[in-house]
Amino acid sequence: MSRWERLKQLDSVSLQKLDELYSGEQLPMAVREYLAQWIEDQDWEHASRDTSRAVVLFQVLLENLDNQYSRFMQERAFLMQRNFRRFKQDFQVQSHLFLSFLAPTMCLKLIINHAMEYSLRGIEEQQDEFDFKYQTHKMDGETSLPLCHAIIIYKGSMIFLSFSTYMSSLLESFDSLLCMVLEELEEWKSRQQISCIGAPDDTNLEPLEKWFTQLGEGGFQLRKFLEKLEELQGKLSYEQDPIKVQKPILQEQLDLILTSLLKSAFIVETQPSMPQGRGPLVLRTNVQFSVKTRFLFKVPELNHAMKVTVSIDKYRRFNVLGTLSKVLNMSESMNGGMVADFRHLTLKEQKVGGGGKGTSDMSLSVTEELHVIHLETQFDLHGLSVSLETSTLPVVVISNSSQQQSAWASVLWFNMLRADSKNLLFFASSPTASWSQFGEMLSWQFLSCGKRGLNSDQLDTIAQKLFGKQKSYDNCKISWTKFSKENIRDTNFTLWVWMDGILNLVKLYLADLWHDGSIMGFITKAKEKSLLKGKQCGTFLLRFSESIKDGGITFSWVEYSNDGKHNVRTVQPFISADLKQIPFPEILRNFQIMEAENAPVYPLQFLYPNIPKAQAIGKYYNEKTGGERVSVCLSVCCSLSLSECISVWTFMASELLSCALTVH
């Protein structure tokens, strides 16, 4: 028994709902009834993802309707015969409803191809019949001509009215599908914007390129459809010919939709960046940078035909030098897309009278000034000509490397807030960021540098540092000034300078330990003592220093006195200069202290919570020394209070290397 037969055995209330479900025109209940077994045997889910399969099923559906129509003829079931003939006609006229329901963003070209084949054939047949009858009645004589003339013109109008309705339906589908694709494009642009600051979002363009290409091809098929209609009009035209009136209207509607598609299809695929830069969107004068643009509508006829030119804001103080024009071509793309890859561009600051430098109209610092690079091209195909323009996200232009840290802060802030790329005065009155936005952005930075973001505990520690201890930080806001201009309390550096120093330390020296979670990183001293209290002797954890401007990492461990009292000890932070000489895993491996009796002690035994040190970080040990061990000797003054952290690590690289070496 088919599922449909079982459905018909439901109670009256359920049958009422079933009737409501099939009350629309997409799938009449009679079709569901007579083609039940075939409908239930098909893999509609697969068809929704495979446009070619969807079209095949549509053709088979039409064949099944024909077969059922033939059976009704044999059975002399006049009413059902009439209904199924109408069902097939409705399906053909509204094929877009069937196919777009299955694959709404991918099958317009196939829909239009089918529509053209069906409609043009039908219209040509009706037009030929109309022409024949019209010419015949003209030869009948004056007596019958006026009435026959009116009747035939009426029939001709009905022919075109059917076509016009059909064409309007296709245009409506075209516009709806384009709106869906444009929504996807806006989401892609948003993902691209935050990916520039480290977000791990998917910026693959292949689906969008496929959809734009299929829509574009379908749109130009519709233009050919209208051209063919104009040819049909040439066979016979009369004073009240609806084609003369309606065709220009349909043409205008179609060209408006196509123009919107073409303008949206021209995008910046890769935002401006320097080869050795900190990240994208920070450019330095007299240093080469690159930018790549793509036209998402792949048109083989226009390969090497569309020239793209690049420029910068006319009212700004920089000139773009290098190869300023390239053609869109399919050879520079892995998937054959139409791209123009500008790889050797340079910005040069303009000179003004007296040899001085140009000035900006805005009272902002150099690293708060935003600039936009423009790319332009011209599309010409089959009589449609459209000027295309796209722009990069705002870039910050610096003149020396010392400005790079501040420039990157501006890029982070602007794109974290997903600001309007046209708002070049953004930093004249920058909005605040919510803690969720800010914390997410910070997490992306660590993800980029060490392949691991910040967890909730680490984020809470940073939030507590910024806002004080609170039950929730959801309503907390942070300003641009607090992020990049105001010093952290009791320090002489800003939040961003401190954070950036840690990020550099992670990227250069601590990436592996950060990635595998060995570094706890952000933790208050009070929390540190709380975590280590009660752990077995020699348990240690790794955290970032709060007092080192350019980034420092330290470790603390717990030990117990004879009477069982615990003591948490901490070494002075290691900075970049230290880690450049000896890798941090080697320091942890060989760290020892010299007690009063000059007996060496290796206090680091278990990485928090209870992982043996060799198991936790042994994979990072340097075995090229053949067992050579760097022993760092530290003297601990007995007069120190057990509750105090000891600051006993005050060496330079030369001092570190001069410490005792034990060779096995």
Side-chain angles (χ1 to χ4, degrees):
M1 182 184 295
S2 68
R3 289 196 296 272
W4 180 253
E5 290 299 324
R6 290 198 295 269
L7 284 173
K8 292 195 297 183
Q9 296 175 6
L10 295 173
D11 58 77
S12 58
V13 176
S14 298
L15 288 174
Q16 177 64 32
K17 292 181 179 179
L18 185 66
D19 182 66
E20 293 173 0
L21 180 64
Y22 285 93
S23 61
E25 298 180 355
Q26 289 87 349
L27 183 62
M29 186 177 288
V31 174
R32 181 67 178 90
E33 164 87 14
Y34 284 95
L35 302 185
Q37 197 60 55
W38 177 81
I39 289 173
E40 293 172 18
D41 288 343
Q42 309 312 308
D43 187 352
W44 298 105
E45 184 177 354
H46 176 227
S48 70
R49 300 189 301 270
D50 186 340
T51 56
S52 60
R53 179 60 181 162
V55 173
V56 169
L57 286 179
F58 180 66
Q59 295 297 337
V60 176
L61 171 64
L62 296 181
E63 292 174 7
N64 282 327
L65 291 173
D66 280 336
N67 294 336
Q68 192 63 44
Y69 174 80
S70 299
R71 282 193 285 271
F72 289 140
M73 286 186 66
Q74 295 173 1
E75 297 168 2
R76 297 182 178 274
F78 175 76
L79 182 59
M80 294 306 298
Q81 178 184 335
R82 177 181 178 277
N83 286 342
F84 266 68
R85 181 175 56 193
R86 180 172 57 84
F87 292 155
K88 181 183 177 182
Q89 291 173 347
D90 289 345
F91 273 124
Q92 288 176 315
V93 171
Q94 302 185 48
S95 58
H96 62 284
L97 292 178
F98 176 85
L99 294 176
S100 63
F101 175 76
L102 294 177
T105 59
M106 294 185 287
C107 60
L108 184 67
K109 179 173 178 284
L110 296 170
I111 296 170
I112 292 171
N113 283 339
H114 171 77
M116 286 181 63
E117 180 182 357
Y118 165 75
S119 297
L120 282 176
R121 185 171 61 248
I123 291 174
E124 282 185 290
E125 291 173 355
Q126 294 178 76
Q127 182 75 17
D128 288 341
E129 181 184 0
F130 172 73
D131 293 345
F132 174 77
K133 291 181 178 179
Y134 182 79
Q135 297 296 339
T136 301
H137 283 292
K138 281 185 67 176
M139 294 185 293
D140 282 347
E142 295 296 328
T143 55
S144 61
L145 182 60
L147 177 60
C148 294
H149 181 75
I151 293 173
I152 295 172
I153 287 179
Y154 172 76
K155 289 183 177 179
S157 300
M158 291 303 98
I159 293 172
F160 184 76
L161 180 61
S162 174
F163 159 78
S164 179
T165 302
Y166 186 73
M167 185 68 177
S168 297
S169 177
L170 282 175
L171 287 178
E172 184 179 346
S173 295
F174 187 16
D175 192 38
S176 297
L177 289 173
L178 179 59
C179 288
M180 294 171 63
V181 173
L182 293 184
E183 287 178 7
E184 291 290 332
L185 178 62
E186 288 305 310
E187 291 181 10
W188 178 88
K189 287 182 177 180
S190 179
R191 294 195 302 270
Q192 186 200 42
Q193 183 171 15
I194 58 176
S195 73
C196 288
I197 57 172
D201 284 40
D202 180 16
T203 56
N204 177 28
L205 276 170
E206 287 191 20
L208 277 169
E209 188 174 59
K210 180 179 179 181
W211 300 335
F212 267 98
T213 300
Q214 290 180 333
L215 284 173
E217 290 174 348
F220 276 95
Q221 287 288 76
L222 287 177
R223 288 188 106 245
K224 290 181 181 179
F225 199 179
L226 292 176
E227 290 173 6
K228 183 66 176 177
L229 182 65
E230 198 164 5
E231 293 177 13
L232 294 177
Q233 178 192 354
K235 291 184 177 181
L236 178 67
S237 183
Y238 45 90
E239 186 175 346
Q240 299 176 354
D241 187 350
I243 296 180
K244 285 184 178 180
V245 178
Q246 293 296 322
K247 191 263 182 183
I249 296 174
L250 294 172
Q251 184 79 60
E252 183 180 7
Q253 291 175 348
L254 173 58
D255 286 351
L256 282 174
I257 300 172
L258 266 177
T259 299
S260 175
L261 180 148
L262 295 170
K263 288 186 174 183
S264 300
F266 189 47
I267 64 163
V268 176
E269 178 179 1
T270 305
Q271 295 293 331
S273 63
M274 300 184 294
Q276 304 299 324
R278 174 66 182 274
L281 305 176
V282 176
L283 306 180
R284 183 176 171 184
T285 54
N286 304 315
V287 175
Q288 284 189 349
F289 70 93
S290 63
V291 62
K292 183 195 289 187
T293 187
R294 180 181 289 259
F295 188 49
L296 294 173
F297 177 22
K298 293 167 65 172
V299 189
E301 303 100 294
L302 297 181
N303 189 26
H304 293 280
M306 295 174 65
K307 184 173 72 172
V308 181
T309 58
V310 61
S311 62
I312 198 167
D313 300 299
K314 303 295 188 295
Y315 58 92
R316 292 296 181 177
R317 59 183 185 181
F318 300 102
N319 292 326
V320 184
L321 305 179
T323 305
L324 301 184
S325 65
K326 296 192 72 174
V327 293
L328 289 167
N329 68 89
M330 297 180 171
S331 60
E332 294 189 3
S333 171
M334 295 291 291
N335 69 338
M338 298 183 66
V339 303
D341 193 358
F342 295 86
R343 301 178 185 176
H344 306 290
L345 299 175
T346 307
L347 292 179
K348 186 174 180 63
E349 197 162 12
Q350 295 177 358
K351 301 291 183 180
V352 294
K357 295 183 177 181
T359 58
S360 169
D361 294 333
M362 298 185 297
S363 57
L364 298 171
S365 67
V366 170
T367 56
E368 292 176 324
E369 292 181 5
L370 301 177
H371 310 259
V372 171
I373 294 171
H374 302 284
L375 300 113
E376 300 175 350
T377 190
Q378 184 72 25
F379 177 92
D380 289 290
L381 184 68
H382 302 319
L384 183 62
S385 181
V386 182
S387 297
L388 309 180
E389 178 181 338
T390 189
S391 300
T392 67
L393 290 169
V395 300
V396 177
V397 182
I398 59 177
S399 56
N400 60 74
S401 58
S402 64
Q403 298 169 321
Q404 190 154 254
Q405 187 180 62
S406 296
W408 184 239
S410 297
V411 170
L412 291 176
W413 194 263
F414 182 91
N415 294 290
M416 168 190 66
L417 294 174
R418 294 172 172 83
D420 181 1
S421 60
K422 297 178 181 178
N423 183 13
L424 301 185
L425 296 175
F426 173 80
F427 285 103
S429 180
S430 173
T432 59
S434 67
W435 167 244
S436 63
Q437 290 175 310
F438 186 74
E440 186 176 42
M441 180 271 288
L442 288 182
S443 184
W444 292 338
Q445 305 318 296
F446 282 89
L447 184 65
S448 298
C449 291
K451 299 180 181 179
R452 180 170 69 92
L454 299 171
N455 60 35
S456 58
D457 290 336
Q458 293 162 337
L459 287 170
D460 283 347
T461 300
I462 298 171
Q464 184 176 337
K465 187 178 184 68
L466 288 173
F467 310 112
K469 192 168 185 179
Q470 299 185 26
K471 290 183 178 180
S472 172
Y473 300 98
D474 292 343
N475 296 322
C476 292
K477 303 281 187 180
I478 181 170
S479 67
W480 165 242
T481 299
K482 189 168 186 177
F483 172 58
S484 68
K485 297 182 179 181
E486 292 179 355
N487 288 341
I488 302 173
R489 187 176 57 183
D490 300 327
T491 70
N492 62 350
F493 48 83
T494 66
L495 173 64
W496 169 240
V497 168
W498 173 62
M499 196 65 66
D500 192 45
I502 293 172
L503 288 166
N504 285 328
L505 206 67
V506 169
K507 182 177 181 179
L508 295 175
Y509 307 109
L510 305 172
D512 289 335
L513 289 171
W514 175 258
H515 180 226
D516 70 12
S518 296
I519 299 174
M520 189 168 292
F522 297 98
I523 180 174
T524 63
K525 293 180 180 178
K527 180 91 177 274
E528 176 187 70
K529 290 183 178 181
S530 174
L531 291 177
L532 290 175
K533 182 180 179 180
K535 292 297 180 182
Q536 56 187 319
C537 185
T539 300
F540 66 99
L541 55 79
L542 312 175
R543 65 174 177 85
F544 299 124
S545 170
E546 297 183 48
S547 59
I548 303 296
K549 174 182 178 180
D550 296 321
I553 187 167
T554 184
F555 50 81
S556 302
W557 70 95
V558 64
E559 60 184 24
Y560 296 89
S561 61
N562 292 333
D563 59 2
K565 291 183 179 180
H566 79 281
N567 180 30
V568 175
R569 306 176 101 175
T570 304
V571 298
Q572 185 170 320
F574 301 92
I575 60 175
S576 178
D578 305 325
L579 302 181
K580 189 175 182 179
Q581 298 298 321
I582 298 182
F584 194 51
E586 291 300 313
I587 293 175
L588 297 173
R589 176 188 189 183
N590 300 301
F591 176 75
Q592 68 177 17
I593 59 175
M594 300 297 292
E595 295 289 1
E597 299 81 7
N598 291 326
V601 176
Y602 296 91
L604 308 183
Q605 299 297 321
F606 305 96
L607 180 65
Y608 182 88
N610 57 0
I611 308 171
K613 181 172 67 173
Q615 178 182 333
I617 60 176
K619 53 184 172 290
Y620 307 122
Y621 290 163
N622 184 1
E623 299 301 336
K624 293 181 180 180
T625 59
E628 177 179 323
R629 183 174 63 184
V630 180
S631 300
V632 184
C633 304
L634 298 172
S635 298
V636 180
C637 178
C638 294
S639 62
L640 286 175
S641 168
L642 292 178
S643 62
E644 291 181 294
C645 292
I646 59 173
S647 179
V648 292
W649 195 278
T650 56
F651 68 91
M652 296 297 286
S654 59
E655 294 174 316
L656 184 61
L657 293 174
S658 65
C659 289
L661 295 178
T662 304
V663 181
H664 297 281

